[in-house]
């Protein structure tokens, strides 16, 4: 085996072919200006001095008006969405038109829809907070409404009674309730409802003082009722009306009996369907005709006497 010093590496990796010199002396033998071709290279017959022409890049240009890629057909997807969402014909048409637009157009349209929705939401007024009437206020309204309807000097049982109760309740309310429109409207609605309930109770007591009670099977509230064989006299009728609301105390005196006689007279002589309108109309006529306190007092005394003649004499 040779030692490392004895191993020599040739200076050229490619050895010259047999019969040729290792030095490139062949080039020296070519006359200057000679048209002889470049000597053949040992690599496949081409000289390393030969010039190569670069290849031209391939032509990838497309015909004018063509797209880089074919448009995506979304008609099938539109049909699936329409069936799933159960869109109407106009909605399907709008969705198809949207699917055919470019990405930029879609983005702009979506932004405009969001902007419009945001504008609509900003204009919406938040719902008012429900005001719950305190229990003590409810009791006060009930007491005030009952006392108002039993007042012998009341000038009217509909709008006037409502105004009287409103003013009375308002004077004792806290400012935060009176100055809040929602809260005050809730209170007024409760007042109106309680006055309606109490008027029905008073009317029912007057009907029961004259007519037979309705059977449980009667569905018509204003059905013609048979007159009692012995109707209640004015004192009995007044006591029945005065006790319609628990906790209300009204002195059953001559003045109160005269007012109940007036109410019972309207009930018997007028159409009970619009009873309280008839009562307010009769009161307005009486006050206009008898325009002094003395004349009005005399008028109610006569009404009381007529009631006693019709339903029985009694000492008050």
């Amino acid at each position: 085996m040779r030692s490392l010093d004895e191993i020599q590496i040739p200076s050229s990796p490619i050895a010259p072919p047999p019969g040729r010199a290792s030095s490139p002396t062949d080039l020296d033998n070519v006359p200057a200006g000679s048209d002889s071709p470049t000597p053949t290279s040992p690599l496949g017959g081409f000289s390393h001095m030969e010039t190569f022409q670069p290849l031209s890049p391939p032509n990838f240009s497309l015909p004018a008006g063509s797209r880089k890629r074919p448009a995506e057909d979304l008609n099938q997807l539109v049909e699936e969405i329409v069936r799933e969402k159960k869109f109407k014909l106009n909605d399907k048409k709008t969705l198809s038109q949207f699917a055919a637009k470019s990405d930029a157009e879609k983005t702009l349209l979506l932004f405009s829809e969001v902007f419009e929705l945001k504008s609509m939401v900003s204009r919406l007024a938040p719902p008012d907070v429900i005001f719950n009437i305190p229990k003590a206020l409810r009791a006060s309204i009930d007491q005030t409404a009952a006392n108002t309807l039993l007042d012998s000097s009341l000038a009217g049982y509909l709008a006037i009674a409502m105004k009287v109760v409103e003013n009375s309740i308002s004077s004792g309310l806290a400012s935060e309730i009176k100055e809040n429109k929602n809260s005050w409207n809730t209170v007024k609605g409760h007042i109106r409802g309680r006055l309606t309930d109490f008027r029905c109770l008073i009317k029912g007591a007057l009907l029961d003082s004259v007519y037979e009670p309705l059977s449980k099977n009667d569905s018509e509230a204003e059905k013609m009722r048979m007159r009692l064989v012995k109707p209640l006299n004015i004192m009995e009728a007044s006591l029945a009306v005065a006790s319609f609301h628990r906790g209300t105390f009204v002195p059953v005196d001559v003045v109160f009996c005269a007012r109940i006689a007036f109410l019972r007279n309207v009930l018997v002589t007028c159409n009970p369907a619009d009873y309280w309108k008839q009562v307010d109309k009769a009161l307005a006529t009486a006050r206009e005709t008898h325009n002094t306190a003395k004349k009005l007092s005399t008028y109610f005394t006569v009404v009381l006497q007529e009631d006693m003649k019709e339903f029985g004499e009694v000492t008050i």
Side-chain angles (χ1 to χ4, degrees):
M1 179 182 293
R2 294 185 297 174
S3 65
L4 293 177
D5 296 335
E6 294 175 346
I7 299 176
Q8 296 182 359
I9 304 300
S11 59
S12 175
I14 301 177
R20 294 184 65 89
S22 61
S23 61
T25 56
D26 293 340
L27 295 177
D28 297 335
N29 298 328
V30 179
S34 174
D35 294 333
S36 299
T38 304
T40 305
S41 169
L43 299 178
F46 291 96
S47 169
H48 66 282
M49 300 295 293
E50 189 172 359
T51 305
F52 292 92
Q53 295 294 329
L55 295 176
S56 299
N59 184 8
F60 292 106
S61 62
L62 297 175
S66 65
R67 299 169 61 97
K68 291 184 178 180
R69 61 179 180 179
E72 187 177 5
D73 188 4
L74 299 176
N75 290 332
Q76 184 176 358
L77 180 58
V78 169
E79 292 291 342
E80 293 178 0
I81 294 175
V82 169
R83 287 195 297 270
E84 180 183 352
K85 304 297 183 181
K86 298 181 181 179
F87 285 164
K88 296 181 180 179
L89 184 60
N90 290 338
D91 298 331
K92 176 183 177 182
K93 182 179 179 181
T94 302
L95 186 61
S96 299
Q97 292 174 348
F98 180 80
K101 296 184 181 296
S102 66
D103 291 343
E105 290 175 324
K106 292 177 181 178
T107 302
L108 187 60
L109 284 173
L110 288 174
F111 178 79
S112 65
E113 292 291 340
V114 172
F115 187 77
E116 182 182 13
L117 181 60
K118 181 181 178 181
S119 178
M120 292 174 60
V121 170
S122 65
R123 293 194 298 268
L124 293 177
D128 293 328
V129 178
I130 298 176
F131 173 70
N132 293 319
I133 301 176
K135 185 177 180 180
L137 180 56
R138 289 177 179 270
S140 177
I141 290 173
D142 286 1
Q143 194 68 36
T144 305
N147 289 334
T148 300
L149 293 178
L150 294 177
D151 185 1
S152 301
S153 63
L154 186 63
Y157 289 85
L158 294 173
I160 294 177
M162 179 67 184
K163 194 65 177 178
V164 170
V165 179
E166 278 186 23
N167 293 337
S168 178
I169 294 296
S170 176
S171 62
L173 283 180
S175 58
E176 57 266 22
I177 298 179
K178 291 189 293 185
E179 295 173 1
N180 186 295
K181 184 179 180 181
N182 177 47
S183 301
W184 179 232
N185 285 339
T186 303
V187 172
K188 289 196 298 183
H190 185 70
I191 293 172
R192 189 178 298 107
R194 297 309 285 160
L195 284 172
T196 300
D197 294 340
F198 292 164
R199 282 193 297 263
C200 288
L201 291 176
I202 293 174
K203 180 182 176 183
L206 292 172
L207 285 169
D208 291 342
S209 70
V210 179
Y211 302 105
E212 294 281 353
L214 287 173
S215 65
K216 295 182 179 180
N217 296 328
D218 284 330
S219 58
E220 300 178 12
E222 303 299 339
K223 183 179 179 180
M224 185 64 67
R225 298 165 64 172
M226 297 297 295
R227 184 164 173 167
L228 290 169
V229 177
K230 186 179 179 181
L232 300 183
N233 60 46
I234 190 58
M235 178 62 72
E236 294 170 334
S238 298
L239 288 171
V241 172
S243 60
F244 83 90
H245 182 261
R246 183 179 58 185
T248 301
F249 174 76
V250 178
V252 182
D253 52 13
V254 175
V255 176
F256 184 77
C257 288
R259 175 55 65 102
I260 299 304
F262 173 85
L263 294 177
R264 187 155 66 166
N265 182 280
V266 176
L267 181 69
V268 173
T269 59
C270 298
N271 182 8
D274 55 351
Y275 172 67
W276 293 107
K277 289 183 180 180
Q278 296 286 346
V279 168
D280 281 2
K281 183 178 179 180
L283 271 175
T285 301
R287 288 175 175 274
E288 182 180 354
T289 304
H290 312 283
N291 52 11
T292 64
K294 184 177 181 179
K295 291 181 179 180
L296 191 61
S297 178
T298 302
Y299 168 75
F300 277 104
T301 300
V302 173
V303 172
L304 178 58
Q305 292 171 351
E306 290 294 324
D307 185 274
M308 290 185 179
K309 290 178 182 179
E310 181 69 20
F311 300 109
E313 296 284 344
V314 64
T315 303
I316 301 176

